[in-house]
Amino acid sequence: LDEAKDLAGDLKGLHADKTAAATHKRSLDEAKAFAQREDEQLQKCDETREALKKEEREIKERLHELESRAHDVADARAAVEALEREAEFLAEQIADSGLADVDDAQLEDTARRLQEEEDSHAAVVAELQAKVRAHLTEKKKHEDAAAGLAGRVGEAESEKRRGEAEVDDLRNALWEAKPALDPASDASARLERALAAGGPVDKTVAETVRDALDARAAAADDAAASDECDVLDPSPDCLTEAEAMGCSTEEECRFQAGDRVRVVSKAVVYHAPKHKEGLDTQGLVGVVASLASVARDGSGSEISANRPVVVQFDEPKFRTHYEESELEHAVD
């Protein structure tokens, strides 16, 4: 029985470790989800970066084209100036030859046409320069956005490393819990395969191990409770409640079976249903189920010397041991 009690205590400790492992697992799942979102964001960043590179190449090509056109404009201006000089020369020749009145209209038409071509080239250059400035502004905007995304990538990588550390913690906790499992159980077999495979442990495996540990802890509690004498057992082999508590009479005992009591001290238990993270029973009201500091079968063996008062609670439904100093009579 003492070994069962010790095992129950060890299982409770393992349960606490398992609870912490579950918490780590939840954090890991959140970190994985976050890392997945960041990976998707990184992919979008890469796509944006490739688009920016493509746009940058196009801008460079346009700039090269603009430079070529600027050279063409300069050449055209030079040609215009040469034509103007030629026109002036021709005008002088015509004036000397007496044909000025005949060819003035033609010369004016040629000069007007050349001026229109020059104006057209200047307008094209101005338009292209405005587009270049707009592209450069857009490029700067995208470069700033890419720098911000790079910072978020660094944060995502840090979060990923923290998640990997939590995965390692979970594996270590499950490895430490393995000896407490029944070697022939499905939970032990699944955990063995998961640990041997390496990598993150599947959530269902961790939940199976947790349930198996809970079941073993509950079985140990039931076995310990079944070894105690019943409060109403009339068998002469069982000691009375007063004898078990070391009281000379029932009346001398502070608490008796059936008393309503309230927990007045902080006392956290880990076997209460639906409270895997632990339940602080301070303030809860229950009924004394039995009193025992030694077994009432007459053997004199100790069973709960340090916490002799067994209290039954209804909400949630469970029972546990207390010292008398942790309880008071409930009058309400």
Side-chain angles (χ1 to χ4, degrees):
L1 182 57
D2 292 337
E3 292 178 356
K5 289 291 184 175
D6 292 338
L7 178 58
D10 292 339
L11 289 175
K12 290 176 181 179
L14 288 173
H15 177 72
D17 292 340
K18 176 195 61 184
T19 301
T23 301
H24 284 303
K25 184 63 173 62
R26 288 194 298 271
S27 299
L28 175 60
D29 292 341
E30 295 175 355
K32 285 181 178 178
F34 179 79
Q36 183 177 1
R37 291 194 299 271
E38 290 302 319
D39 288 339
E40 294 173 354
Q41 189 65 28
L42 285 175
Q43 185 176 0
K44 292 180 180 179
C45 290
D46 291 337
E47 294 173 355
T48 302
R49 189 179 293 109
E50 291 298 324
L52 289 174
K53 289 181 178 179
K54 180 179 178 181
E55 186 173 359
E56 184 179 13
R57 289 193 297 270
E58 293 175 353
I59 291 173
K60 288 181 178 179
E61 291 173 359
R62 292 296 301 276
L63 287 174
H64 181 70
E65 180 182 352
L66 289 175
E67 291 174 355
S68 298
R69 296 189 68 174
H71 288 304
D72 292 340
V73 170
D75 294 338
R77 286 177 176 174
V80 168
E81 293 174 356
L83 288 173
E84 288 176 346
R85 290 192 297 272
E86 184 177 353
E88 292 174 356
F89 176 77
L90 289 174
E92 293 174 356
Q93 292 295 320
I94 290 171
D96 294 339
S97 64
L99 299 176
D101 295 335
V102 177
D103 295 329
D104 280 348
Q106 182 179 356
L107 292 174
E108 290 177 357
D109 182 65
T110 301
R112 183 174 57 255
R113 179 166 46 82
L114 292 173
Q115 185 62 44
E116 289 175 354
E117 289 181 359
E118 183 178 3
D119 293 342
S120 175
H121 284 300
V124 170
V125 170
E127 180 182 357
L128 291 176
Q129 288 176 343
K131 289 183 178 180
V132 168
R133 288 192 294 270
H135 282 302
L136 291 176
T137 301
E138 190 68 18
K139 177 184 175 183
K140 180 63 168 59
K141 184 189 302 182
H142 286 303
E143 288 176 347
D144 293 341
L149 289 176
R152 289 197 291 274
V153 168
E155 294 175 359
E157 290 176 349
S158 298
E159 187 65 26
K160 180 179 180 181
R161 287 193 292 271
R162 286 194 293 270
E164 291 172 347
E166 291 181 356
V167 169
D168 293 338
D169 292 340
L170 175 60
R171 285 181 59 84
N172 292 336
L174 291 174
W175 184 269
E176 294 174 357
K178 185 176 179 296
L181 296 173
D182 182 359
S185 66
D186 177 64
S188 179
R190 294 183 64 183
L191 179 59
E192 182 72 30
R193 290 194 298 271
L195 293 176
V201 178
D202 188 76
K203 180 180 179 181
T204 57
V205 176
E207 291 175 346
T208 301
V209 173
R210 178 197 65 194
D211 294 341
L213 291 173
D214 288 344
R216 293 204 68 179
D221 288 341
D222 292 342
S226 65
D227 289 339
E228 297 180 2
C229 290
D230 191 271
V231 174
L232 303 178
D233 189 352
S235 171
D237 292 335
C238 287
L239 302 177
T240 66
E241 298 291 345
E243 291 171 334
M245 291 293 294
C247 308
S248 60
T249 65
E250 292 286 346
E251 290 72 14
E252 292 181 3
C253 295
R254 182 179 176 189
F255 299 104
Q256 299 181 23
D259 286 351
R260 281 173 53 79
V261 294
R262 179 182 292 103
V263 183
V264 296
S265 301
K266 182 178 179 65
V268 180
V269 298
Y270 294 91
H271 61 285
K274 299 181 180 180
H275 291 278
K276 305 300 183 182
E277 73 284 356
L279 172 65
D280 186 358
T281 60
Q282 185 175 9
L284 295 184
V285 175
V287 177
V288 176
S290 61
L291 305 171
S293 59
V294 294
R296 287 182 285 135
D297 56 4
S299 65
S301 61
E302 296 184 359
I303 56 173
S304 251
N306 58 336
R307 292 177 176 267
V309 184
V310 182
V311 179
Q312 174 71 47
F313 298 98
D314 290 331
E315 188 57 39
K317 191 174 184 63
F318 71 101
R319 65 170 57 188
T320 190
H321 294 252
Y322 293 95
E323 297 179 9
E324 288 192 347
S325 61
E326 296 177 305
L327 303 171
E328 68 177 7
H329 286 95
V331 295
D332 54 336

